[in-house]
Amino acid sequence: AIPVRSSRLPLLSDAMPAPAHLFPLIRNCEISRICSTVCYCHHKHLCCLSSHFAHSHFRYAPQKKFAALCRPKENFNHFIHVRDYASTPQRFYLTPPQVNSILKANEYSFKVPEFDGKNVSSVLGFDSNQLPANAPIEDRRSAATCLQTRGMLLGVFDGHAGCACAQAVSERLFYYIAVSLLPHETLLEIENAVESGRALLPILQWHKHPNDYFSKEASKLYFNSLRTYWQELIDLNSGETTDVKEALINAFKRLDNDISLEAQVGDPNSFLNYLVLRVAFSGATACVAHVDGVDLHIANTGDSRAMLGVQEEDGSWSAVNLSYDHNAQNEHEVERVKMEHPKSEEKSLVKQDRLLGLLMPFRAFGDVKFKWSIELQKRVVESGPDQLNDNEYTKFIPPNYHTPPYLTAEPEVIYHKLRPQDKFLVLATDGLWETMHRQDVARIVGEYLTGVHHQQPIAVGGYKVTLGQMHGLLTERRARISSVFEDQNAATHLIRHAVGNNEFGTVDHERLSKMLSLPEELARMYRDDITIIVVQFNSHVIGACQNEEL
């Protein structure tokens, strides 16, 4: 049975601490309680401030008074230097077992049966993990097997201005995709079962960590919206086979439309009414993979990424991008935004690399402040609950807001036909890509999966290394060999490197300990939430499929 947990508390307010049974992530204010001998916290007031704005405004900064929170991540060594002047001169570091406890708290692995009753799977399995910087974490992840059609769905979701939208999208999007892929006869069968009160055909088999909960309170509302969608698909039946790319695009757009509509209509239940508004006024990016045999589709909205790990003939590893960031660094995306608005707005559309000077991703779910008219925003806020009406964030109107919508959830879909040399896929939120280059990600995961990480020569990258330093690096390698690298999960292994790598590209335990010991209000200054899914492909099956086509 898949554990289902209530989302009531964390969705009410991001300023509220996450309940321990929902988020057993070791936050740094709690480390002194959990590991009483290893950590202390200077400047206690920094760890206890209300976190709503502090967490959300790295991606969205609506007012100048919050601009200071948006400064770029500082050099970590500077922080350590500042701490030298604290009143307590001692430093307490986490031990390796304590570091492992933090890193492994949210890891999950799933091995796919070679034959699932319908076809031989091209996926061997996947590993996933999350490391929070925000409290509560604003990232989400999902994985499921499609039961009425072929294939697997996997996705990462990066929330901003709170976690409500990312939570809703992680629960709902795969159902919309699965329904979009269903043949007309199956849709009719499901609708007739609902009409007659019979048990429904299961659509998805979820693969979830116990902490990846579902919102029980909103399940009926979500089901009703989904049912309306499949009823419309039945009415629009064209008799043609559903194209995967079209299904992905339609599902993304329809879910975002339903999120908007639910917030406009409201709900007589006060909790649900506040929930749908929280979902709509926060936002989330999404990067989703659909794998069916040798057919791999990536649907991306925002700045999370998909990367393919390819093993070359000489055994080396290379990275192939399967998504493009939708932000100011993407010239095509900037041009798209400009083409959708009058020339008179050209100078105000993108400022300081942000949409309207505020939002970093140019595509996202929710974020109705960048989609609704000013009149609609005011009407919904004024008629909404007091918590919404008293919130400065929801009442704020973006500057130069003349021709909405400025934001879309429509994904960019990329197709790739898998080859035997395509060994794995990495889906990750931008917290990983801010700290690691894709080529390093491909090498680290590839060497981990093939077990050759101990055999590679040590690279020092042009640094002048003393004999003592080289001895230290070799000693560290020997320790890693004896502990089998500590990780049985590829995503955990990648997070360990993302947070703890030194200038030589190897994990520095002291650095890793320091980074994991940062107080929660400072952790976000140095990194973002990190969520990773590593999908391992079955090269034998892919090769056999390739031979059949010849």
Side-chain angles (χ1 to χ4, degrees):
I2 299 172
V4 177
R5 303 201 178 193
S6 168
S7 61
R8 177 183 299 271
L9 288 175
L11 287 176
L12 279 174
S13 171
D14 293 331
M16 299 174 63
H21 69 287
L22 290 183
F23 291 95
L25 311 172
I26 302 181
R27 304 204 307 275
N28 293 289
C29 282
E30 299 173 346
I31 291 180
S32 58
R33 176 173 58 84
I34 298 170
C35 311
S36 57
T37 64
V38 300
C39 187
Y40 66 95
C41 176
H42 293 302
H43 311 301
K44 182 69 175 178
H45 62 281
L46 289 176
C47 304
C48 305
L49 293 174
S50 174
S51 58
H52 177 71
F53 285 110
H55 294 153
S56 61
H57 295 285
F58 287 92
R59 307 193 80 178
Y60 171 62
Q63 294 185 4
K64 289 183 178 179
K65 63 183 178 180
F66 300 116
L69 293 171
C70 302
R71 69 176 184 264
K73 299 179 181 68
E74 300 169 25
N75 184 289
F76 180 73
N77 293 326
H78 170 72
F79 171 69
I80 299 301
H81 179 70
V82 170
R83 287 178 61 131
D84 289 341
Y85 296 93
S87 56
T88 307
Q90 304 141 294
R91 293 173 180 161
F92 297 91
Y93 298 135
L94 301 172
T95 64
Q98 290 159 347
V99 166
N100 287 341
S101 178
I102 296 172
L103 291 180
K104 297 182 180 185
N106 298 291
E107 68 178 16
Y108 179 82
S109 296
F110 179 77
K111 301 303 176 187
V112 177
E114 187 171 350
F115 184 75
D116 62 6
K118 289 179 292 186
N119 62 296
V120 178
S121 176
S122 60
V123 176
L124 284 172
F126 71 87
D127 294 333
S128 71
N129 202 351
Q130 295 183 297
L131 182 68
N134 295 297
I137 186 170
E138 294 180 341
D139 281 4
R140 294 293 185 271
R141 58 183 165 175
S142 292
T145 300
C146 298
L147 297 178
Q148 301 306 318
T149 57
R150 297 172 16 146
M152 283 189 71
L153 288 164
L154 307 105
V156 294
F157 312 93
D158 189 350
H160 49 266
C163 62
C165 188
Q167 174 64 35
V169 174
S170 71
E171 293 182 35
R172 306 176 67 180
L173 181 58
F174 286 8
Y175 281 115
Y176 280 72
I177 295 172
V179 163
S180 300
L181 290 168
L182 290 176
H184 184 252
E185 297 75 19
T186 307
L187 289 172
L188 281 173
E189 188 177 347
I190 292 175
E191 175 60 21
N192 290 334
V194 175
E195 282 288 337
S196 60
R198 291 184 284 112
L200 292 179
L201 290 170
I203 297 176
L204 295 172
Q205 177 189 354
W206 291 95
H207 312 300
K208 300 181 81 68
H209 187 282
N211 301 322
D212 299 335
Y213 60 93
F214 277 101
S215 171
K216 286 185 176 179
E217 295 86 354
S219 59
K220 184 176 180 181
L221 170 68
Y222 292 169
F223 176 81
N224 289 339
S225 294
L226 182 66
R227 184 184 180 189
T228 301
Y229 178 43
W230 81 52
Q231 288 173 336
E232 292 180 13
L233 291 176
I234 291 173
D235 294 339
L236 294 171
N237 174 44
S238 61
E240 299 178 0
T241 305
T242 305
D243 176 72
V244 175
K245 179 177 180 179
E246 182 182 357
L248 289 166
I249 292 173
N250 290 342
F252 272 61
K253 292 169 66 176
R254 179 53 184 251
L255 174 56
D256 192 55
N257 183 73
D258 284 352
I259 287 172
S260 174
L261 188 61
E262 289 160 2
Q264 294 176 50
V265 173
D267 193 281
N269 179 300
S270 60
F271 171 76
L272 282 181
N273 190 44
Y274 186 42
L275 171 59
V276 297
L277 290 167
R278 294 272 297 124
V279 170
F281 277 91
S282 58
T285 66
C287 188
V288 172
H290 179 267
V291 191
D292 179 11
V294 296
D295 297 320
L296 171 62
H297 288 83
I298 302 293
N300 183 54
T301 289
D303 52 10
S304 293
R305 293 182 192 171
M307 184 216 77
L308 194 66
V310 181
Q311 189 169 31
E312 306 296 346
E313 291 184 2
D314 63 358
S316 63
W317 294 93
S318 61
V320 176
N321 281 342
L322 292 181
S323 66
Y324 299 100
D325 293 353
H326 298 134
N327 56 26
Q329 279 65 54
N330 184 335
E331 293 181 5
H332 297 291
E333 190 67 5
V334 174
E335 286 304 311
R336 178 192 66 81
V337 172
K338 289 181 178 179
M339 289 288 290
E340 294 176 356
H341 298 276
K343 194 166 182 64
S344 59
E345 294 186 58
E346 188 171 315
K347 292 184 178 180
S348 61
L349 283 172
V350 180
K351 285 187 172 183
Q352 297 178 329
D353 287 344
R354 293 172 181 255
L355 186 65
L356 298 180
L358 301 173
L359 192 65
M360 291 184 70
F362 285 13
R363 302 192 195 193
F365 286 90
D367 283 321
V368 295
K369 297 189 68 58
F370 296 85
K371 297 173 181 176
W372 288 354
S373 68
I374 293 177
E375 294 74 19
L376 178 57
Q377 290 189 45
K378 288 182 177 179
R379 178 177 66 79
V380 171
V381 170
E382 289 171 0
S383 62
D386 291 341
Q387 302 101 307
L388 192 73
N389 202 23
D390 294 340
N391 192 318
E392 292 295 327
Y393 165 71
T394 55
K395 291 193 294 185
F396 177 79
I397 302 297
N400 303 302
Y401 196 80
H402 307 297
T403 56
Y406 290 90
L407 194 66
T408 180
E410 180 173 344
E412 185 174 14
V413 180
I414 292 178
Y415 169 76
H416 178 82
K417 187 173 184 178
L418 291 171
R419 308 158 298 172
Q421 61 264 41
D422 300 332
K423 301 300 183 181
F424 60 88
L425 172 72
V426 176
L427 302 172
T429 55
D430 63 344
L432 173 68
W433 310 111
E434 289 172 354
T435 60
M436 297 191 73
H437 189 273
R438 64 180 180 273
Q439 188 57 46
D440 293 327
V441 170
R443 177 184 56 80
I444 289 168
V445 175
E447 292 176 359
Y448 171 82
L449 292 176
T450 55
V452 299
H453 37 265
H454 310 308
Q455 304 165 16
Q456 300 297 317
I458 291 178
V460 295
Y463 289 93
K464 292 182 178 179
V465 181
T466 65
L467 187 60
Q469 288 174 321
M470 181 58 73
H471 179 266
L473 291 172
L474 291 169
T475 302
E476 182 184 344
R477 168 181 283 187
R478 185 163 51 194
R480 290 202 304 268
I481 294 173
S482 64
S483 65
V484 199
F485 235 80
E486 301 170 327
D487 301 320
Q488 285 75 51
N489 181 296
T492 304
H493 185 66
L494 197 48
I495 290 176
R496 187 184 300 275
H497 276 269
V499 179
N501 263 12
N502 59 21
E503 63 269 29
F504 303 119
T506 61
V507 176
D508 182 331
H509 173 72
E510 183 175 324
R511 174 183 173 82
L512 185 60
S513 175
K514 290 173 182 176
M515 291 295 283
L516 294 178
S517 301
L518 285 173
E520 63 185 32
E521 294 296 335
L522 287 177
R524 186 60 184 88
M525 300 288 185
Y526 299 95
R527 62 174 180 83
D528 198 355
D529 297 330
I530 301 175
T531 297
I532 301 171
I533 300 177
V534 178
V535 185
Q536 191 172 1
F537 296 121
N538 190 328
S539 298
H540 300 295
V541 170
I542 293 171
C545 293
Q546 193 177 61
N547 293 333
E548 288 176 6
E549 295 175 358
L550 296 177

